[in-house]
Amino acid sequence: MDGLPYPIVVTDDATAETARFVAQATRGVAVVADVAVAGRAAAIASALEAAGCQVLSLHTVVAGERFKRWRSVATLHDRWLASEVDRDSVAVAVGGGTITDVVGLAAATYLRGVKWIPVATTLLGMVDAAIGGKTGVDLPQGKNLAGAIWHPLAVIADLAALGTLPPRIRSEAIPEMVKAAVIGDPSLLELIDGTRADAGMAAWSELIARAATVKARVVASDPADRGARAALNLGHTFAHAFEHASRYRIRHGVAVALGLRAAGILARDRTGWSGQDQALMLRALRRHGLRTRLGRMDTRAVLEAMRLDKKRSSGSLRFVLPVRLGEVQTGVEASDDEVLAVLDQLTRPPKRAGY
Ligand SMILES: NC(=O)c1ccc[n+]([C@@H]2O[C@H](COP(=O)([O-])OP(=O)(O)OC[C@H]3O[C@@H](n4cnc5c(N)ncnc54)[C@H](O)[C@@H]3O)[C@@H](O)[C@H]2O)c1
Ligand SMILES: [Zn+2]
């Protein structure tokens, strides 16, 4: 996959691929895995040993947002020091986004930085979280408030792991794929729309590769996250506010689906985004069981959450909006009244015009 200076490998043989990349780099390796994929991690560890690497430490942790804390990073460092993981070692993270975010940050900071490889086992990790080198933890004040950009040696998407991923968690990655399609690959939208949840691995593999390519391309154009990468926030200013205002009862993927519709509604008058494109986007989301209508929610609290988020950037509310399929515009300012009008419409079913 082009764009980034390191490969993204979508494979049904993640054990061999991981061993290949690690063996090229070093002998010593520290594996950290989500306990939900302990079997995959054991298989990877065996392949590493067979390739002549020494697995200095292998341990499992319980994934989830509660794992994304400073304390988890410190625990990993303690473990690695005790196992004599050194500066030439490679850290391998096997799991979803919460695992790769934390292990990536632990690798970025251990002995001032050791190499690492994320092996993504969730669909969201494969199309989004494991790509781009952003690592981090949550602070009590909010999500992802501490972290580092620390690029890996390679990103491995472990297709074999998807077999055990519950359908609900799998569907939470669909909005990120739809986002990728809108940002930079219009025909991917049709592909998502035409893929059934029970489709075979070949179909999913194609979707993953296409969505991952869009993310890789955007990241490659802005590796230090200073400009173009903002496009990846499409739907996310709204989404983060829905997550926050619902006290995280609305999960990220579900919030992004709603956020994409909201961005489309706002874009109607601001960028000329067409009702036809909006309808195609909503159809792909609904096809995979995602709702596109906001339930009962205090819209003032949503607005407040957006403001809090923005305090950390630059004052006024700015949005990434779709222009047409394959093109977005970043930094579009909107007033509180405009945002409230969008939220109001979001509580109603989409009109025939698409929005
Ligand atoms: N760094 C980035 O650029 C970036 C981008 C997007 C999201 N993220 C982060 O990613 C996180 C969300 O990622 P996620 O959805 O992968 O979360 P996750 O790591 O919590 O995984 C979701 C659930 O799936 C389970 N699981 C993982 N693989 C499995 C498998 N193969 N079979 C069965 N169960 C499995 C986990 O145990 C967990 O319960 C968030 O914290 C988000 O902030 C980071
Ligand atoms: Zn997201």
Coordinates of all heavy atoms in Angstrom, one line a residue, residues 34 36-37 63-65 68 95-99 101 121-122 124-125 128-131 134-135 143-144 161-162 164-166 169 172 176 215 229 251-252, ligand 1:
D34 N -4.3 -8.2 23.8 CA -5.6 -8.2 24.4 C -5.9 -9.7 24.7 O -5.7 -10.6 23.9 CB -6.6 -7.7 23.3 CG -8.1 -7.7 23.8 OD1 -8.4 -8.3 24.8 OD2 -8.9 -7.1 23.1
A36 N -8.6 -11.1 24.8 CA -9.6 -11.7 23.9 C -9.0 -12.3 22.7 O -9.6 -13.1 22.0 CB -10.6 -10.5 23.4
V37 N -7.7 -12.0 22.4 CA -7.0 -12.6 21.3 C -5.8 -13.3 21.7 O -4.8 -13.3 21.0 CB -6.8 -11.6 20.1 CG1 -8.1 -11.2 19.5 CG2 -6.0 -10.4 20.6
A63 N -8.6 -5.3 27.4 CA -8.7 -4.1 26.5 C -9.9 -3.2 26.9 O -10.7 -3.6 27.8 CB -8.8 -4.6 25.1
G64 N -9.9 -2.1 26.3 CA -11.1 -1.2 26.5 C -10.6 0.2 26.9 O -9.4 0.3 27.2
E65 N -11.5 1.1 26.9 CA -11.1 2.5 27.2 C -10.5 2.6 28.6 O -9.6 3.4 28.9 CB -12.3 3.4 27.1 CG -12.1 4.8 26.5 CD -11.4 4.8 25.2 OE1 -11.7 4.0 24.3 OE2 -10.5 5.7 25.0
K68 N -6.8 2.5 28.6 CA -6.1 3.6 28.0 C -5.7 4.7 29.1 O -6.3 5.8 29.1 CB -6.9 4.2 26.9 CG -6.6 3.5 25.6 CD -7.4 4.2 24.4 CE -7.0 5.6 24.1 NZ -7.5 6.1 22.8
G95 N -4.1 -6.5 19.2 CA -5.4 -6.2 19.7 C -6.1 -5.1 18.9 O -5.6 -4.7 17.8
G96 N -7.1 -4.5 19.5 CA -7.8 -3.4 18.9 C -7.1 -2.0 19.2 O -6.0 -2.0 19.7
G97 N -7.9 -1.0 18.9 CA -7.3 0.4 19.0 C -6.8 0.7 20.4 O -5.9 1.5 20.6
T98 N -7.5 0.2 21.4 CA -7.1 0.6 22.8 C -5.7 0.0 23.1 O -4.9 0.6 23.8 CB -8.1 0.2 23.9 OG1 -8.3 -1.2 23.9 CG2 -9.4 0.9 23.6
I99 N -5.5 -1.2 22.6 CA -4.2 -1.9 22.8 C -3.1 -1.2 22.0 O -2.0 -0.9 22.6 CB -4.3 -3.4 22.4 CG1 -5.3 -4.1 23.2 CG2 -2.9 -4.1 22.5 CD1 -5.0 -4.3 24.7
D101 N -3.0 1.8 20.8 CA -2.7 3.2 21.3 C -1.8 3.2 22.5 O -0.9 4.0 22.6 CB -4.1 3.9 21.7 CG -4.8 4.5 20.5 OD1 -4.3 4.3 19.4 OD2 -5.7 5.3 20.8
T121 N -6.5 -6.4 15.5 CA -7.4 -7.6 15.5 C -8.9 -7.1 15.5 O -9.8 -7.9 15.5 CB -7.2 -8.4 16.7 OG1 -7.5 -7.7 17.9 CG2 -5.8 -8.9 16.8
T122 N -9.1 -5.8 15.4 CA -10.5 -5.3 15.2 C -10.6 -4.6 13.9 O -9.6 -4.1 13.4 CB -11.0 -4.3 16.3 OG1 -10.2 -3.1 16.2 CG2 -10.9 -4.9 17.7
L124 N -11.9 -1.8 13.3 CA -11.6 -0.4 13.5 C -10.1 -0.2 13.5 O -9.6 0.8 13.0 CB -12.3 0.1 14.8 CG -12.2 1.6 14.9 CD1 -13.6 2.2 14.9 CD2 -11.4 2.0 16.1
G125 N -9.4 -1.1 14.2 CA -8.0 -1.0 14.2 C -7.4 -1.1 12.9 O -6.4 -0.4 12.5
D128 N -8.3 2.1 10.8 CA -8.1 3.5 11.4 C -7.1 3.5 12.5 O -6.0 4.0 12.3 CB -9.5 3.9 11.9 CG -9.5 5.4 12.2 OD1 -8.5 6.1 12.1 OD2 -10.6 6.0 12.4
A129 N -7.4 2.9 13.6 CA -6.5 3.2 14.8 C -5.1 2.7 14.7 O -4.2 3.4 15.2 CB -7.2 2.5 16.0
A130 N -4.8 1.6 14.0 CA -3.4 1.2 13.9 C -2.6 1.9 12.9 O -1.4 1.8 12.8 CB -3.4 -0.3 13.6
I131 N -3.3 2.7 12.1 CA -2.6 3.4 11.0 C -2.3 4.9 11.4 O -3.2 5.6 11.9 CB -3.4 3.4 9.7 CG1 -3.7 2.0 9.3 CG2 -2.8 4.1 8.6 CD1 -4.8 1.8 8.3
K134 N -0.4 7.7 15.5 CA -0.9 8.4 16.7 C -1.1 7.4 17.8 O -1.8 6.4 17.6 CB -2.2 9.1 16.4 CG -2.1 10.4 15.8 CD -3.4 11.2 15.9 CE -3.4 12.4 15.0 NZ -4.7 13.0 15.0
T135 N -0.4 7.6 19.0 CA -0.6 6.8 20.1 C -1.1 7.6 21.3 O -0.9 8.8 21.2 CB 0.8 6.1 20.5 OG1 1.6 7.2 21.0 CG2 1.5 5.5 19.3
K143 N -10.6 12.4 26.5 CA -10.0 11.3 25.7 C -8.7 11.7 24.9 O -8.7 12.9 24.5 CB -11.0 10.9 24.6 CG -11.5 9.4 24.7 CD -12.6 9.1 23.7 CE -11.9 8.5 22.5 NZ -12.0 7.0 22.5
N144 N -7.8 10.8 24.8 CA -6.6 11.0 24.0 C -5.8 12.3 24.3 O -5.3 12.9 23.4 CB -7.0 11.1 22.5 CG -7.6 9.8 22.1 OD1 -7.2 8.7 22.6 ND2 -8.5 9.8 21.1
A161 N -8.1 -12.9 12.8 CA -8.7 -12.6 14.1 C -10.2 -12.1 14.0 O -10.9 -12.2 15.0 CB -7.9 -11.4 14.7
L162 N -10.6 -11.7 12.8 CA -11.9 -11.1 12.7 C -13.0 -12.2 12.9 O -14.1 -11.8 13.2 CB -12.1 -10.5 11.3 CG -11.4 -9.2 11.0 CD1 -11.7 -8.7 9.6 CD2 -11.8 -8.1 12.0
T164 N -13.5 -14.0 15.3 CA -14.1 -14.0 16.7 C -14.7 -12.7 17.1 O -15.2 -12.5 18.2 CB -13.1 -14.4 17.7 OG1 -12.0 -13.5 17.6 CG2 -12.6 -15.8 17.5
L165 N -14.6 -11.7 16.2 CA -15.1 -10.3 16.5 C -16.6 -10.3 16.5 O -17.2 -10.5 15.4 CB -14.5 -9.3 15.6 CG -14.5 -7.9 16.0 CD1 -13.6 -7.6 17.2 CD2 -14.1 -6.9 14.8
P166 N -17.2 -9.9 17.6 CA -18.7 -9.8 17.6 C -19.2 -8.9 16.5 O -18.6 -7.8 16.3 CB -19.0 -9.3 19.0 CG -17.8 -9.6 19.8 CD -16.7 -9.5 18.9
I169 N -19.4 -5.1 17.3 CA -18.1 -4.4 17.3 C -17.6 -4.2 15.9 O -17.1 -3.2 15.5 CB -17.1 -5.1 18.2 CG1 -17.6 -5.1 19.6 CG2 -15.7 -4.4 18.1 CD1 -16.7 -5.8 20.6
E172 N -19.2 -1.2 14.1 CA -18.7 0.1 14.6 C -17.6 0.7 13.7 O -17.3 1.8 13.8 CB -18.3 0.0 16.1 CG -19.5 -0.1 17.0 CD -19.1 -0.3 18.4 OE1 -17.9 -0.3 18.7 OE2 -20.1 -0.5 19.2
E176 N -16.3 4.6 9.9 CA -14.9 5.1 9.6 C -14.6 4.7 8.1 O -13.9 5.5 7.5 CB -13.9 4.4 10.5 CG -14.1 4.6 12.0 CD -13.9 6.0 12.5 OE1 -13.6 7.0 11.7 OE2 -14.0 6.2 13.8
K215 N -6.7 6.4 4.5 CA -6.1 6.9 5.7 C -4.6 7.1 5.5 O -4.0 8.1 5.9 CB -6.4 6.1 6.9 CG -5.6 6.6 8.1 CD -6.3 6.5 9.5 CE -5.5 7.2 10.5 NZ -5.9 7.0 11.9
R229 N -4.2 16.4 7.6 CA -4.8 15.3 8.3 C -6.1 15.6 9.0 O -6.9 14.7 9.4 CB -3.7 14.9 9.4 CG -3.8 13.4 9.8 CD -2.5 13.0 10.4 NE -2.7 11.9 11.3 CZ -1.8 11.1 11.8 NH1 -0.5 11.3 11.4 NH2 -2.0 10.1 12.6
R251 N -21.5 4.7 21.6 CA -20.1 4.3 21.3 C -19.6 5.1 20.1 O -20.3 5.6 19.3 CB -20.1 2.8 21.1 CG -20.3 2.1 22.5 CD -20.3 0.6 22.3 NE -19.1 0.1 21.7 CZ -18.0 -0.2 22.3 NH1 -18.0 -0.2 23.6 NH2 -16.9 -0.7 21.7
H252 N -18.3 5.1 20.0 CA -17.6 5.9 19.0 C -18.2 5.7 17.6 O -18.5 6.7 16.9 CB -16.1 5.7 19.0 CG -15.4 6.6 18.1 ND1 -15.3 8.0 18.3 CD2 -14.7 6.4 16.9 CE1 -14.6 8.5 17.3 NE2 -14.2 7.6 16.5
Ligands
LIG1 N1 -4.6 6.2 17.1 C1 -5.5 6.5 16.3 O1 -5.2 7.1 15.2 C2 -6.9 6.0 16.5 C3 -7.9 6.2 15.5 C4 -9.2 5.7 15.8 C5 -9.5 5.2 17.1 N2 -8.5 5.1 18.0 C6 -8.8 4.5 19.3 O2 -9.1 3.1 19.2 C7 -10.0 2.7 20.3 C8 -11.1 1.9 19.7 O3 -10.6 0.8 19.0 P1 -11.3 -0.6 19.1 O4 -12.7 -0.4 18.7 O5 -10.5 -1.5 18.3 O6 -11.3 -0.9 20.6 P2 -10.9 -2.1 21.6 O7 -9.4 -2.2 21.6 O8 -11.5 -1.7 22.9 O9 -11.6 -3.4 21.0 C9 -13.0 -3.5 21.1 C10 -13.4 -4.8 21.7 O10 -13.1 -5.9 20.9 C11 -12.4 -6.9 21.6 N3 -11.6 -7.6 20.6 C12 -10.5 -7.1 19.9 N4 -10.1 -8.0 19.0 C13 -11.0 -9.0 19.0 C14 -11.1 -10.2 18.2 N5 -10.4 -10.4 17.2 N6 -12.1 -11.1 18.6 C15 -13.0 -10.8 19.6 N7 -12.9 -9.7 20.4 C16 -11.9 -8.8 20.1 C17 -11.7 -6.2 22.7 O11 -11.4 -7.0 23.8 C18 -12.7 -5.1 23.1 O12 -13.6 -5.6 23.9 C19 -10.4 4.0 20.9 O13 -9.7 4.2 22.2 C20 -10.0 5.1 20.0 O14 -9.7 6.3 20.6 C21 -7.2 5.5 17.8

